[in-house]
Amino acid sequence: MIMTENSLTTKDVKVSYGQHESLHGVTLDFPKNQITALMGPSGCGKSTFLRCLNRSNDLLPDVTVSGEIEFEQQDIYGPKVNVVALRTQIGMVYQQPTPFPFSIYENVIFSQRMIGLHDRQKADEIVERSLRQAAIWDEVKDRLQRSAQSLSGGQQQRVCLASVLAGAPEVILLDEPTSALDPIASAKIEGTLLSLKDSYTIVIVTHNLQQASRISDQTAFLLNGDLVEADATKTIFMTPREQATSDYLNGKFG
Amino acid sequence: MNRYRNDKFARGLIYTIVGAIIALIAVFIGYLLVQGWSTISWSFLTTASDDGLGIRDQLFNSLYLLILTLLLSFPIALGSAIALTIYGKKSRFAAIAEMAIQALSSLPSIIIGLFGFLLLVLKFKIGFSVLSGAIALTFFNLPILTQSISLAIATVPEARMTAGVSLGVSKWHTITKVILPEAMPGMISGIVLSAGRVFGEAAALIYTAGQSAPKLDYLNWNIFDANSFLNPLRPAETLAVHIWKVNTEGLGANAEAISKGTIVILILTILVFNLLARQLSHRLQRKIYR
């Protein structure tokens, strides 16, 4: 068996909103430079789990997270962790594109500006590199000063991805990034993710089975707040161990 | 058929009501303007009341008090609005604070005036002064201003915060660089509208800023001199207080003319504030969503 290095590891992660526990202990590792898909029906806890991985659950009131989550062997919920810096290393793209009402250029470079980047040339380089990586450079290179909100949904989503990439993250989390997009825009995003795999560890939440099977190396199936099973994507899709997984894949519920 | 008739009737009724309100306001303002118009002249605006009709010093006092009030109340209101709408959102503390703010906003302004009189003028011995008046007006202005700034911040989509934070930007930077600029048009119109209220306020000032307008020297920049226009510790009668005083004391043959003329100036200034607010926030809005 080949030992793969893990970028993120989790152990018995539980999440409660107020009194209600919506994630009942998930243990899952995320191998470096692989795409992991979290799939399951709505309300199964996959987005909740994803939001633990960069501590964006902290923004919601009344959320308690327990269990262990380690990023490069460091407990991310530890007392000495700089949450702001952590979120630069573990970036996140949301279901709805979330560009700021700035120009495309300023959107991409925003996080770098906030940590004190003023060098014009360096900023130009980062913007171009990030937009190229997000596969949108050719479409926007002549109108970088236009408002990012004037772009189409698919373009906005890739600009948001570029904004995350500009922070030079290790891990990219994506919360159903294509469910608000048309098939052509979705295909572009998927292609982009596949090309990013060599440099980043990617975790994508999706309830699109085809998408999970097309792009991911590892797939985890969640149901009602529990991890049902996780394995290589091929194994999950061809020979699932659990009846629930098989039923979900065959469209018996969803 | 009946449903369509009902709809038509309701629509007619609503338009009639709106028309009646507009007509009422037009008649009201028109009447005041016509009555006071003959008093308005260049010398009315540029001479002191000691020398005859003029309201020069009252006009300046009103503006000076307004500026001081905004300088005092805006930072506090902005801070509390950020605390309530972003940091303390849905917390018990925010709920209690919001209730307190609502209660304070319905406090009669004469109560604020008397409170300011007891606390500032007598207890702290500041005396009838611009400063006492500005602090009393800050009490008067804070609830409304906090509410309107909170409202402006609340119109910014919540996704901005999550998006900013997910990029590894601190909460504070997301607030100052993204949320506040986007809320700016709303905040500006809130500020200017509250400025109109402050500008027209009389009851809170009668016992705090006082009812006398010493003749001011506009070339004296020494703020410690009693006749310096910038001295914050001198008494300062404003336009609204002037109207009240002229009408209650009714001294001199010209009292009525002065009162009517002052009303016109007061109304026109507030009208200008409102127009400015619209212009400014439209322009800012266009700038943001270019």
Side-chain angles (χ1 to χ4, degrees):
Chain A
M1 189 179 160
I2 309 159
M3 281 293 286
T4 44
E5 199 185 336
N6 287 323
S7 178
L8 272 165
T9 57
T10 70
K11 205 167 151 193
D12 198 26
V13 174
K14 292 178 181 165
V15 180
S16 305
Y17 294 102
Q19 298 296 315
H20 177 74
E21 187 178 274
S22 55
L23 203 64
H24 314 301
V26 172
T27 303
L28 185 62
D29 295 340
F30 299 91
K32 216 175 167 103
N33 298 341
Q34 289 198 7
I35 298 181
T36 302
L38 303 176
M39 67 174 189
S42 300
C44 69
K46 56 196 192 301
S47 293
T48 299
F49 181 52
L50 187 78
R51 282 200 294 267
C52 293
L53 301 178
N54 76 340
R55 291 189 60 174
S56 45
N57 270 333
D58 292 13
L59 292 177
L60 305 171
D62 263 2
V63 175
T64 31
V65 178
S66 68
E68 282 169 33
I69 302 177
E70 288 189 350
F71 170 59
E72 294 178 343
Q73 284 86 50
Q74 299 289 317
D75 179 9
I76 66 167
Y77 280 84
K80 281 184 187 157
V81 171
N82 178 346
V83 186
V84 174
L86 173 81
R87 294 191 188 120
T88 317
Q89 292 173 296
I90 307 177
M92 178 117 153
V93 175
Y94 291 87
Q95 179 173 9
Q96 293 291 334
T98 52
F100 299 118
F102 314 149
S103 68
I104 296 167
Y105 187 98
E106 287 301 324
N107 259 284
V108 176
I109 206 67
F110 181 61
S111 68
Q112 296 304 297
R113 284 236 193 283
M114 290 305 110
I115 54 173
L117 175 74
H118 294 298
D119 183 345
R120 181 67 206 259
Q121 204 189 338
K122 199 160 175 223
D124 286 350
E125 280 169 27
I126 292 177
V127 169
E128 180 171 347
R129 172 177 56 80
S130 309
L131 287 169
R132 277 190 193 282
Q133 281 186 321
I136 188 161
W137 172 253
D138 290 331
E139 290 167 57
V140 299
K141 64 174 185 244
D142 298 324
R143 43 177 175 157
L144 293 175
Q145 298 308 324
R146 288 266 300 279
S147 168
Q149 296 188 333
S150 67
L151 298 172
S152 73
Q155 289 172 326
Q156 287 187 12
Q157 197 62 298
R158 277 175 290 154
V159 168
C160 290
L161 182 58
S163 306
V164 170
L165 294 172
E170 306 282 326
V171 181
I172 305 169
L173 309 176
L174 303 110
D175 191 357
E176 301 194 24
T178 61
S179 64
L181 306 180
D182 62 76
I184 294 168
S186 302
K188 280 191 175 159
I189 300 262
E190 287 178 16
T192 311
L193 293 178
L194 283 172
S195 70
L196 289 174
K197 191 168 87 164
D198 296 337
S199 326
Y200 305 92
T201 303
I202 295 172
V203 184
I204 180 169
V205 160
T206 180
H207 58 213
N208 180 333
L209 298 176
Q210 287 78 23
Q211 184 170 61
S213 70
R214 273 195 301 266
I215 64 173
S216 69
D217 304 292
Q218 175 185 235
T219 297
F221 174 58
L222 283 83
L223 185 62
N224 300 329
D226 286 307
L227 177 68
V228 177
E229 64 175 300
D231 213 325
T233 299
K234 234 179 222 161
T235 315
I236 289 266
F237 276 85
M238 304 304 281
T239 51
R241 269 171 300 156
E242 303 291 329
Q243 188 58 41
T245 316
S246 164
D247 287 349
Y248 181 69
L249 291 173
N250 290 316
K252 292 197 178 151
F253 67 96
Chain B
M1 230 22 231
N2 209 359
R3 274 185 293 171
Y4 297 108
R5 228 184 16 241
N6 282 349
D7 187 43
K8 237 178 166 176
F9 175 73
R11 198 190 281 243
L13 188 69
I14 288 165
Y15 277 127
T16 314
I17 293 171
V18 172
I21 291 171
I22 292 174
L24 198 67
I25 294 171
V27 167
F28 182 64
I29 293 182
Y31 176 77
L32 292 173
L33 289 180
V34 168
Q35 287 277 310
W37 198 251
S38 56
T39 315
I40 311 289
S41 66
W42 185 240
S43 75
F44 183 64
L45 293 175
T46 54
T47 57
S49 48
D50 289 359
D51 303 337
L53 295 175
I55 55 162
R56 178 190 75 186
D57 297 336
Q58 282 81 1
L59 184 57
F60 175 77
N61 286 339
S62 290
L63 291 169
Y64 190 29
L65 256 169
L66 173 64
I67 291 169
L68 279 185
T69 304
L70 288 181
L71 284 180
L72 287 175
S73 51
F74 178 67
I76 304 174
L78 180 64
S80 11
I82 292 174
L84 294 178
T85 51
I86 300 175
Y87 285 101
K89 202 169 154 190
K90 288 176 191 156
S91 67
R92 213 189 155 81
F93 170 75
I96 294 171
E98 255 154 44
M99 215 159 74
I101 289 169
Q102 265 163 23
L104 196 60
S105 72
S106 58
L107 206 61
S109 57
I110 184 70
I111 306 284
I112 293 174
L114 289 171
F115 172 73
F117 175 66
L118 291 174
L119 186 76
L120 306 166
V121 177
L122 298 182
K123 182 89 182 162
F124 293 162
K125 301 192 173 64
I126 307 178
F128 290 122
S129 62
V130 178
L131 187 61
S132 301
I135 296 173
L137 282 181
T138 299
F139 287 130
F140 172 74
N141 194 24
L142 267 182
I144 304 278
L145 196 57
T146 307
Q147 280 174 333
S148 61
I149 294 177
S150 299
L151 219 64
I153 292 177
T155 58
V156 179
E158 264 180 72
R160 297 284 185 273
M161 182 54 98
T162 42
V165 166
S166 303
L167 286 176
V169 174
S170 67
K171 241 180 164 177
W172 180 243
H173 273 147
T174 310
I175 292 171
T176 52
K177 303 290 177 182
V178 180
I179 296 179
L180 291 187
E182 209 174 335
M184 191 63 88
M187 291 201 296
I188 298 272
S189 57
I191 291 167
V192 183
L193 289 177
S194 82
R197 258 170 49 95
V198 165
F199 200 79
E201 177 55 30
L205 289 175
I206 292 172
Y207 297 108
T208 52
Q211 304 165 41
S212 59
K215 201 169 163 183
L216 300 176
D217 180 358
Y218 291 92
L219 296 172
N220 186 350
W221 289 80
N222 184 350
I223 61 167
F224 300 109
D225 278 357
N227 70 346
S228 164
F229 69 110
L230 288 176
N231 186 340
L233 293 177
R234 62 178 169 80
E237 186 194 32
T238 63
L239 289 177
V241 174
H242 193 53
I243 295 170
W244 175 80
K245 196 180 80 175
V246 167
N247 276 297
T248 47
E249 296 183 355
L251 300 174
N254 293 321
E256 206 181 315
I258 294 173
S259 152
K260 284 173 178 167
T262 311
I263 289 171
V264 171
I265 299 299
L266 191 66
I267 289 177
L268 287 182
T269 317
I270 292 172
L271 214 65
V272 168
F273 280 153
N274 284 295
L275 292 176
L276 267 179
R278 274 170 167 267
Q279 275 299 316
L280 210 62
S281 75
H282 272 238
R283 196 167 298 176
L284 281 170
Q285 205 128 35
R286 268 212 306 276
K287 210 170 157 189
I288 287 175
Y289 296 103
R290 180 172 33 134

